[in-house]
Amino acid sequence: MSSAIRALPNRATKAASLLRTIQYTHPPNCPCHSNPGHHHHTQHQQRTQVTRFADRVQNGSKRGYATPSQDPSKLKEYAFEMAASSIRFGPGVTREVGMDLSNMGVKRVAVVTDKTVDQLQAMRIVREALDSQPGIEYKVFNQVKIEPKDYSIKDAIAWTLPYNPDAFLAVGGGSVIDTAKLMNLYSCYPEADFMDFVNAPLGLGRPIDRKLKPLIAIPTTAGTGSETTGTAIFDLASRKAKTGIAHRNLKPTLGICDPLNTATMPSAVKAASGLDVLCHSLESWTAIPYYERIPRPTNPILRPAYQGSNPISDIFSLSALRSTVKYLPRAVRDPSDMEAQSEMLLAATLAGVGFGNAGVHLCHGMSYPISGQNPGGYKHAGYDVSDPIIPHGVSVAVTAPAVFKFTAASNPDRHLQAAEAFGVDVSQVKRESAGEVLSEAIKRFLEELGDQPKGLGELGFERKDIEGLVEGTIPQARVLVLAPGLARELEREREELGALFEESLKH
């Protein structure tokens, strides 16, 4: 009898077997190590990244690593990375900022805020904290415009350059923090043209390859999550559309999240800011997965901040969504509900980490021309501003019912999980109904929140404005590329966007 011959496994096969052993002997029940429904397939098709890697190694003739190709523009992404600011969270923590700047060795600080916040307790505490540090001098720039324009950003930069601060301190909402980011950027690139860093195709999309100065962000609203992200948004007045600059090197050094600073927000501002959190969460949760994004960057510095949904962002995004649904109505209705105020600030920060790395898609891409064009001169009630304004959160949420009905076909299970976060019993819902169910849940949430427009028509838009809205959305390439189900052929994309705007005229 001949003895059996045992073939020795090669190194790749051993590695694959080890990965499978780890996976199945230590099942990923912990939410930090599992991600049911992440991949945009049916439940029966969902498979872990470990399993897919193992199959590639054992069944393929070539190792499944990222290898150079003669045409990088056709290669899909194979990696994601996480970047977020350091965060300090707690009531009263604002008073520590003077010590933070002193610990950094800073001597000259540019404090950035707006006229309203400059009169609030947050700025009083900031001044006291800075005055307590004898080695620090500071000047206050309080001319930030709400929903900033490119020209207001340029005015802020012009103020910065002769002062030449060692560090920046932003105290305010997203408009203030975004303005401070760009003051920091262009103070480190004084020779650059403003459009050099603006997102392509409107600008050149130049990567940020220099170390910027320290920036501490103290949010006074619970919405944008700008204290955690490398994104700054503004209106490009000449194009009547929002755009921005996005790079992970733009993110603040430290975000100081003090729930006491959001207590003074008017209820209308709380609602609009909270709707931004809602859509940050929903869009990053439903964005295409990172490994479907094209092209793969030829250099890590070119990897975009908005990468597509990924297992780490998913944890933050879904948690933020659940918190927003639970606490935003309470925060809007009762200013004394400190638990709700605090939880909404935390949700905004969590969503910032989620979307700051996964990205947003259609709601945000479509919102930019909505708020930028405003043909009827709409001015949202509860905002103490002199000019017409469609708040960012309002412009984002108004298309959400139509958007998520459209995107649901890409991953019904993930959209059903989102509907479940709104309190919907999805146990008997068919997968093909996921979009309709989530859309109705969002409509009901907006109606119960109160004082929200029931469609673009109530913001002053008519059917004749749709073409302009579509043309204002097309340049938002960095977010549209993450939209599941959206056509890549330009004319078909225009048709789909037009249909979404038309459906959003009235809920």
Side-chain angles (χ1 to χ4, degrees), residues 374-390:
N374 195 1
Y378 179 87
K379 185 176 179 181
H380 197 64
Y383 272 69
D384 185 17
V385 292
S386 57
D387 298 324
I389 184 172
I390 301 176

Side-chain angles (χ1 to χ4, degrees), residues 456 463 466 497-506:
L456 289 169
R463 189 166 275 100
I466 289 178
L497 290 172
L500 289 170
F501 278 119
E502 183 162 5
E503 185 173 350
S504 299
L505 284 171
K506 185 177 180 181

Side-chain angles (χ1 to χ4, degrees), residues 295-480:
R296 179 187 300 175
T298 56
N299 186 307
I301 198 172
L302 300 176
R303 180 165 285 116
Y306 289 1
Q307 303 166 84
S309 62
N310 60 79
I312 300 178
S313 286
D314 284 348
I315 296 168
F316 289 91
S317 299
L318 189 57
S319 176
L321 174 61
R322 289 167 173 161
S323 292
T324 303
V325 171
K326 179 177 181 179
Y327 291 107
L328 179 58
R330 285 173 49 179
V332 169
R333 295 190 183 108
D334 185 1
S336 66
D337 187 340
M338 286 308 299
E339 180 189 22
Q341 314 298 337
S342 180
E343 290 292 337
M344 276 309 302
L345 180 59
L346 183 58
T349 302
L350 292 174
V353 176
F355 91 86
N357 293 280
V360 289
H361 53 79
L362 283 168
C363 291
H364 273 75
M366 295 167 69
S367 79
Y368 298 146
I370 292 172
S371 57
Q373 295 177 15
N374 195 1
Y378 179 87
K379 185 176 179 181
H380 197 64
Y383 272 69
D384 185 17
V385 292
S386 57
D387 298 324
I389 184 172
I390 301 176
H392 176 60
V394 173
S395 69
V396 168
V398 73
T399 62
V403 162
F404 293 106
K405 185 191 298 183
F406 172 81
T407 59
S410 69
N411 189 337
D413 300 315
R414 182 158 287 223
H415 285 68
L416 286 174
Q417 283 183 273
E420 199 169 26
F422 283 91
V424 177
D425 180 2
V426 300
S427 59
Q428 302 301 316
V429 176
K430 295 181 179 179
R431 298 177 70 254
E432 56 266 29
S433 301
E436 189 68 38
V437 168
L438 179 54
S439 176
E440 290 301 317
I442 295 170
K443 289 179 188 177
R444 187 165 55 252
F445 182 82
L446 294 173
E447 183 175 0
E448 292 174 356
L449 189 64
D451 297 324
Q452 299 305 313
K454 295 180 180 178
L456 289 169
E458 294 190 8
L459 295 177
F461 289 90
E462 301 176 19
R463 189 166 275 100
K464 64 182 178 64
D465 299 312
I466 289 178
E467 183 178 352
L469 289 170
V470 170
E471 292 308 311
T473 303
I474 293 293
Q476 311 302 328
R478 74 187 182 96
V479 296
L480 295 184

Side-chain angles (χ1 to χ4, degrees), residues 64-87:
Y65 296 134
T67 53
S69 168
Q70 64 276 18
D71 189 359
S73 67
K74 295 182 179 179
L75 289 176
K76 292 183 178 180
E77 180 61 280
Y78 69 98
F80 69 93
E81 57 187 273
M82 297 297 294
S85 307
S86 295
I87 296 295

Side-chain angles (χ1 to χ4, degrees), residues 139-273:
K139 284 187 178 180
V140 176
F141 178 83
N142 66 358
Q143 301 299 308
V144 172
K145 304 300 181 186
I146 305 304
E147 304 294 342
K149 315 289 186 187
D150 53 347
Y151 53 80
S152 70
I153 298 285
K154 291 176 183 177
D155 289 344
I157 295 167
W159 178 92
T160 303
L161 293 177
Y163 183 52
N164 192 27
D166 300 330
F168 292 82
L169 172 57
V171 186
S175 296
V176 168
I177 299 172
D178 286 1
T179 298
K181 289 176 182 177
L182 300 186
M183 293 166 76
N184 188 8
L185 172 64
Y186 287 97
S187 72
C188 296
Y189 287 88
E191 79 288 353
D193 181 80
F194 183 76
M195 296 300 292
D196 283 355
F197 295 99
V198 174
N199 296 327
L202 296 176
L204 298 182
R206 175 180 170 183
I208 300 172
D209 54 4
R210 296 179 190 172
K211 184 177 181 180
L212 304 188
K213 298 173 182 178
L215 165 61
I216 296 178
I218 303 179
T220 59
T221 62
T224 67
S226 187
E227 67 276 5
T228 73
T229 74
T231 301
I233 301 298
F234 55 87
D235 287 324
L236 193 61
S238 62
R239 298 290 294 270
K240 293 186 177 180
K242 278 192 185 294
T243 183
I245 297 175
H247 194 276
R248 55 184 54 83
N249 290 347
L250 201 61
K251 70 184 186 298
T253 311
L254 171 66
I256 295 180
C257 300
D258 185 340
L260 299 181
N261 292 335
T262 64
T264 56
M265 275 197 298
S267 62
V269 179
K270 287 179 183 175
S273 299

